Amino acid sequence: MIVLPKQATFVPAVSTAETRWKEKDFIFKGKDSKFFTPESVFQYPYLLTTVPYEIDKQTPDFREAYGYPKEYCLIADSGGFQIAKAQLGGQDIGITPLQILRWMENNADIGMNLDSPPWTNFDKSLKTSQENFTVFQNNRENYDFKLYNVLHGKTLPEMIKWYSGVKDYEFDGWAFGARPADNIYLQIIGYMFLRENNAAHWETNFHLFGVSGIKNMLVLAMLSHEFGGSMTFDSSSYITGMRYRRFYFPKDIRYGIEFGRDAKKTMQSIPCRCPVCRRLEIDDLYSQESPGAYVSLLLHDLYQYIEVNRMINNMVSDDIVFMEYAKSVGEEKTVRIARIIIDQIQKKGVSHVYDNFRHSMVLRDMSNPGNNMMSFISSGEIV
Amino acid sequence: MKIIPKGSNYVPAVSSHTLKCQMTNMMYNDIGFRFFDKGNSFFDYDMQLINAYDISSSEKDNNHRSRMNYPDDMVLIGDSGGFQIMMANKKGTSINIDPIKILRWMENNADIGMNLDSPPTDNFEYSLRTSIQNFELFQNNRENYIFKLYNILHGKSYNDIITWYSHVKDFDFDGWAIGIRPHTNTYLKILSFLYLLEHGEESIYQNTHFFGISSMDNMIALSMLSKKFDLSLTFDSSTWATGYRFSDYYFPLDVRHKSRLGQTKNSMKSLPCDCPVCQSTDIKEIYKYDTMSPSLISYHNLYQFIETNRMINALADDMQALIQYGKSVNENILISDIVNILNDFDNYNTEYIYSKYKKLFVPKPENRIKPTNLFRSW
């Protein structure tokens, strides 16, 4: 049974057809295109895949098929997001909840329940999710594998309603799907809400769906450090390296350049010394034909995500160093506000803080939640 | 005779402390601090600047190079110590200076040496006069013409540059070192280089050095300058060594932001960096703050300075890439200004540029980012 480290662990989501890492025989400059085999350019022991893709690709044994080591953590997303997306487009993916559960039990260390994200009809989504959760709960065969409950909600009242509808299922942790992904304050509320309600296993097994921005990394590291929690979060943003030929600057997951067809090809050397780039020549990155170039960009970007998150997790235990770092990336305000919210929730509860910060936590059209928060704080509304 | 690589080359200025580490072949976990000793240090680097005045005062002979066993392909730059002598004079400290001894030391050990200048702080005329006397001495007593001896340009304004240059231009030296102050005035440094170029100083294509700078804006500006004119230039600083003095630990690939570890909570579980130094170092060793930790912190810093400059030089080959990087470090305005200045220089002279961009050449206050205690008690 997997025990997650007490930190906020980034988990690369790999599932789309663009990820050539799945090709067994792909070798570029003596290394495979993965990040978990002894032949990979670097090794990282976490990965999230989406089950319907794997079933569709007829991969009954993921570890065998891709050489994913037994001791590395595999997280399986049941694909609720993808299924709902297909249904919105009028498609039926033709996979049953039970098939998904069995695949997860046979392959994964951690799996997410089959939720129906509440995009349009909250009550209907909750009802569908409950039906799926019941199937999962009643048909489990593997109790070493950890099956997470799922919390949704764009507002605290929605969270409360969803939670009351799913809290009695016997699962092994929680996944939270806060939207929009950049609303880190709502993510704090979700995590703290589970804590306040003493939701089962919230402290040892918590997952946040589809986030990996620097703000997310900072705040999740703060939360896990504050409460000694083990949490994971996933994202496939690093895949832009392959999709758009994007190359993030070293130790930076916000800014970068593109090595696409329009690139001027004037650089003489690679502006990076990561394990991926050390093996390459600049022409490798400029190449528009070589699949190796695409994979290398993806792996370079993935390495930056992993390292930036590692760096943040290492610094969070020293709040002075952590704040210096936050300043260096222009996120001092984010950290200050997160700190205040976490402290205030502990003192006065989730509802009190949510009521104070409600507007900033909910509305997408509040384009700069940080500034909105500061106005609350400076006006003394948060007390 | 050493050829400086094309581009803008960062040269770490090493103190007597570092020299001692190197000389005694200090090791940490069987890894050495002699970065010029390929494969036997945390990382390899083949340039170093040392203060000839300091070393020639403390060593009995002139065999530093062979004693240190520097490889033949390492570029050793000797600073004559004018700045340090000036600082000592300002403090009223009595020091014995033997310019010829400094010259001989540089001739015997260094690949490049700086003339013995007297940097102008309070009295420009006095500094210029003293510098000229020293330059004459150096010019007339040279014995080694393979070793490159650089002339020096000083000034805090365009007029200073014109005056200083007119008095030292006729010395027969092999390149130029630029000591424009304050070091934060990046634009005036660029202008001073253009001024030398405008006056036909051909040696500066291969032999230019900028004294005591290593900030992000300077690195970017010098990389742009070197690309524009296909230069081989060098610049030095000892800022990386604040790890020795203050336990300043720079964030990975960041030469601006740091944390003063001695003033933090010392509660990190591991080092937040994957550089060759940090990969080999247990954070417990750092938190001991004994004889080893300052060296480890400083070498971590040095690696960040070297790599950041290397990254900037690589990006400078593609202006669009450099602009993107400039945005990421909030230096896009600097890049735009430098582009405009260099473009104007294609058609006009430095007088025109000085007049057009006058505001840029006004010295700005030092912009040091100091560790804060503001959030110590979250």
Side-chain angles (χ1 to χ4, degrees):
Chain A
M1 192 179 291
I2 197 102
V3 177
L4 294 169
K6 288 188 175 180
Q7 61 171 41
T9 302
F10 168 66
V11 182
V14 293
S15 57
T16 70
E18 290 161 299
T19 47
R20 289 200 67 142
W21 62 270
K22 288 185 172 181
E23 292 178 18
K24 248 183 173 175
D25 55 350
F26 184 91
I27 298 290
F28 183 61
K29 298 208 162 189
K31 295 283 176 184
D32 66 26
S33 54
K34 305 178 174 89
F35 53 87
F36 46 77
T37 75
E39 291 76 36
S40 302
V41 72
F42 65 89
Q43 286 77 34
Y44 191 63
Y46 298 92
L47 183 155
L48 179 144
T49 192
T50 306
V51 179
Y53 285 122
E54 300 302 342
I55 294 174
D56 191 43
K57 286 185 177 298
Q58 299 182 329
T59 319
D61 189 337
F62 183 93
R63 294 177 196 267
E64 167 67 22
Y66 305 127
Y68 193 71
K70 206 165 64 176
E71 63 276 18
Y72 281 13
C73 177
L74 177 65
I75 300 181
D77 185 4
S78 56
F81 179 87
Q82 289 74 12
I83 292 168
K85 212 169 154 187
Q87 284 168 344
L88 274 179
Q91 292 175 299
D92 178 9
I93 63 162
I95 296 171
T96 66
L98 212 49
Q99 277 179 288
I100 292 170
L101 175 64
R102 288 289 170 266
W103 192 97
M104 292 200 291
E105 287 181 312
N106 288 332
N107 288 281
D109 300 292
I110 294 168
M112 309 302 161
N113 257 281
L114 183 58
D115 58 331
S116 170
W119 294 333
T120 49
N121 186 329
F122 185 87
D123 291 334
K124 191 179 166 201
S125 288
L126 176 56
K127 190 165 170 287
T128 309
S129 297
Q130 284 169 322
E131 287 165 9
N132 291 336
F133 292 5
T134 304
V135 172
F136 273 40
Q137 182 181 254
N138 296 342
N139 289 280
R140 273 185 87 167
E141 291 177 350
N142 177 351
Y143 287 86
D144 281 340
F145 145 81
K146 296 198 173 191
L147 185 57
Y148 284 13
N149 208 328
V150 179
L151 176 68
H152 277 293
K154 294 189 287 292
T155 63
L156 183 59
E158 281 189 358
M159 273 183 226
I160 293 169
K161 188 172 183 183
W162 188 285
Y163 179 74
S164 67
V166 301
K167 68 181 166 55
D168 293 328
Y169 288 102
E170 279 182 33
F171 295 130
D172 311 312
W174 286 86
F176 180 42
R179 283 292 174 271
D182 56 358
N183 195 338
I184 50 169
Y185 307 109
L186 192 65
Q187 290 156 20
I188 296 174
I189 291 288
Y191 183 78
M192 296 298 280
F193 172 80
L194 290 172
R195 175 181 175 271
E196 192 169 273
N197 285 279
N198 201 21
H201 313 290
W202 69 272
E203 72 277 47
T204 52
N205 291 89
F206 175 81
H207 184 84
L208 194 60
F209 283 123
V211 298
S212 63
I214 195 137
K215 287 174 195 280
N216 302 111
M217 287 182 180
L218 288 167
V219 168
L220 294 179
M222 288 172 74
L223 282 171
S224 75
H225 176 66
E226 179 77 19
F227 302 108
S230 302
M231 60 170 73
T232 49
F233 60 99
D234 76 277
S235 139
S236 60
S237 298
Y238 69 95
I239 288 174
T240 54
M242 182 172 265
R243 204 173 289 167
Y244 305 114
R245 311 297 310 274
R246 187 156 182 80
F247 175 95
Y248 284 100
F249 293 132
K251 304 290 185 291
D252 190 336
I253 54 170
R254 280 197 285 214
Y255 295 93
I257 50 179
E258 278 165 20
F259 282 94
R261 292 190 186 281
D262 296 334
K264 285 186 178 169
K265 300 190 179 179
T266 50
M267 273 195 265
Q268 308 293 311
S269 57
I270 299 174
C272 177
R273 301 272 297 158
C274 78
V276 183
C277 293
R278 251 180 265 154
R279 302 176 48 78
L280 304 176
E281 306 292 331
I282 188 71
D283 288 343
D284 294 327
L285 295 184
Y286 279 129
S287 167
Q288 303 299 312
E289 287 79 35
S290 162
Y294 288 79
V295 169
S296 299
L297 284 164
L298 176 144
L299 290 173
H300 159 86
D301 288 348
L302 174 58
Y303 186 82
Q304 308 314 316
Y305 274 84
I306 292 168
E307 273 304 303
V308 169
N309 189 56
R310 195 182 70 82
M311 187 163 67
I312 289 170
N313 272 284
N314 284 349
M315 288 191 274
V316 74
S317 54
D318 187 322
D319 51 13
I320 298 171
V321 177
F322 189 65
M323 184 55 88
E324 292 292 344
Y325 175 74
K327 273 190 214 170
S328 81
V329 292
E331 296 295 352
E332 181 185 4
K333 200 190 277 183
T334 300
V335 169
R336 284 182 59 195
I337 295 167
R339 182 71 263 165
I340 291 168
I341 291 176
I342 294 167
D343 285 348
Q344 289 292 317
I345 289 176
Q346 289 185 85
K347 284 176 192 157
K348 305 198 171 184
V350 170
S351 292
H352 176 88
V353 173
Y354 180 81
D355 287 343
N356 272 294
F357 288 139
R358 190 171 58 246
H359 298 293
S360 301
M361 289 188 184
V362 177
L363 301 175
R364 184 87 205 218
D365 58 3
M366 291 282 193
S367 58
N368 192 339
N371 280 342
N372 297 328
M373 292 290 181
M374 284 314 282
S375 68
F376 275 102
I377 289 163
S378 56
S379 68
E381 286 193 43
I382 176 85
V383 285
Chain B
M1 193 179 294
K2 299 282 165 60
I3 305 291
I4 306 292
K6 290 279 181 199
S8 171
N9 298 281
Y10 171 65
V11 183
V14 304
S15 63
S16 52
H17 187 99
T18 305
L19 277 177
K20 196 178 166 194
C21 294
Q22 294 175 343
M23 205 176 289
T24 57
N25 202 11
M26 188 172 91
M27 307 281 268
Y28 173 72
N29 283 347
D30 295 330
I31 307 171
F33 290 80
R34 295 160 60 88
F35 51 74
F36 44 81
D37 188 4
K38 286 189 179 63
N40 293 312
S41 180
F42 292 100
F43 53 87
D44 298 333
Y45 203 60
D46 57 5
M47 289 188 175
Q48 178 162 301
L49 179 143
I50 56 181
N51 187 315
Y53 164 70
D54 276 350
I55 301 296
S56 64
S57 307
S58 60
E59 290 183 347
K60 287 178 185 163
D61 55 38
N62 277 343
N63 297 326
H64 176 81
R65 188 159 195 133
S66 56
R67 189 180 304 114
M68 291 293 289
N69 207 12
Y70 291 136
D72 288 342
D73 58 356
M74 174 190 167
V75 175
L76 183 66
I77 300 181
D79 186 3
S80 56
F83 180 78
Q84 287 73 19
I85 294 165
M86 179 269 294
M87 291 301 284
N89 283 336
K90 271 185 109 173
K91 287 178 191 164
T93 313
S94 166
I95 47 173
N96 288 322
I97 312 161
D98 181 352
I100 297 298
K101 193 177 175 188
I102 294 171
L103 175 64
R104 289 290 170 265
W105 188 94
M106 292 198 295
E107 286 180 312
N108 278 320
N109 293 288
D111 302 292
I112 294 167
M114 308 301 161
N115 258 279
L116 183 58
D117 57 334
S118 170
T121 50
D122 307 325
N123 189 330
F124 185 84
E125 282 76 22
Y126 172 80
S127 291
L128 178 55
R129 205 165 53 243
T130 310
S131 297
I132 291 169
Q133 286 167 5
N134 290 335
F135 292 3
E136 276 171 355
L137 204 61
F138 272 38
Q139 181 180 254
N140 298 336
N141 287 280
R142 269 184 90 165
E143 289 177 351
N144 178 350
Y145 287 86
I146 295 175
F147 146 81
K148 294 195 173 187
L149 186 56
Y150 284 11
N151 205 332
I152 294 174
L153 182 63
H154 275 299
K156 290 180 188 167
S157 67
Y158 186 55
N159 286 338
D160 280 358
I161 291 168
I162 294 169
T163 306
W164 188 285
Y165 177 75
S166 68
H167 285 86
V168 302
K169 67 182 167 57
D170 294 328
F171 286 105
D172 187 14
F173 295 130
D174 313 311
W176 285 86
I178 293 173
I180 302 300
R181 282 293 178 262
H183 66 84
T184 50
N185 197 336
T186 308
Y187 299 107
L188 197 61
K189 289 181 210 306
I190 299 297
L191 189 75
S192 65
F193 179 89
L194 298 178
Y195 186 83
L196 292 172
L197 199 58
E198 185 173 83
H199 286 78
E201 296 291 347
E202 290 290 317
S203 66
I204 62 174
Y205 285 101
Q206 298 297 322
N207 295 96
T208 301
H209 183 81
F210 289 82
F211 279 126
I213 53 170
S214 61
S215 60
M216 179 71 80
D217 51 352
N218 281 313
M219 282 186 183
I220 291 173
L222 294 186
S223 73
M224 294 173 72
L225 190 69
S226 72
K227 294 299 168 204
K228 170 79 178 178
F229 299 107
D230 197 22
L231 309 173
S232 301
L233 63 84
T234 52
F235 61 99
D236 77 275
S237 104
S238 60
T239 308
W240 61 279
T242 52
Y244 289 116
R245 277 175 280 168
F246 307 115
S247 298
D248 282 348
Y249 179 92
Y250 281 85
F251 294 130
L253 285 187
D254 189 336
V255 295
R256 262 200 296 226
H257 301 94
K258 64 201 173 197
S259 196
R260 190 156 285 183
L261 291 185
Q263 295 178 5
T264 64
K265 292 188 174 172
N266 296 342
S267 50
M268 284 191 286
K269 302 285 185 289
S270 56
L271 284 163
C273 176
D274 64 344
C275 80
V277 182
C278 293
Q279 277 187 356
S280 311
T281 303
D282 188 329
I283 196 161
K284 288 176 192 155
E285 191 69 45
I286 299 291
Y287 284 156
K288 282 182 192 168
Y289 298 112
D290 61 4
T291 49
M292 187 62 75
S293 44
S295 299
L296 292 168
I297 295 171
S298 293
Y299 269 61
H300 153 85
N301 292 342
L302 176 56
Y303 186 82
Q304 310 313 318
F305 277 79
I306 291 169
E307 276 305 306
T308 301
N309 188 57
R310 202 184 70 78
M311 174 171 69
I312 290 170
N313 271 274
L315 292 168
D317 286 329
D318 181 336
M319 186 46 73
Q320 289 309 313
L322 189 67
I323 288 169
Q324 288 305 314
Y325 180 71
K327 283 182 191 168
S328 80
V329 292
N330 205 19
E331 292 291 359
N332 42 331
I333 294 171
L334 170 101
I335 292 172
S336 156
D337 287 335
I338 300 283
V339 166
N340 291 335
I341 288 172
L342 295 179
N343 284 344
D344 277 344
F345 187 70
D346 288 341
N347 301 311
Y348 304 100
N349 58 15
T350 52
E351 192 179 353
Y352 172 87
I353 291 168
Y354 185 73
S355 167
K356 182 175 175 182
Y357 301 98
K358 208 160 190 170
K359 279 183 192 166
L360 296 179
F361 300 111
V362 176
K364 59 181 176 183
E366 286 194 27
N367 234 348
R368 283 189 187 161
I369 296 162
K370 292 176 183 164
T372 176
N373 292 330
L374 264 181
F375 306 103
R376 190 185 282 272
S377 54
W378 275 356

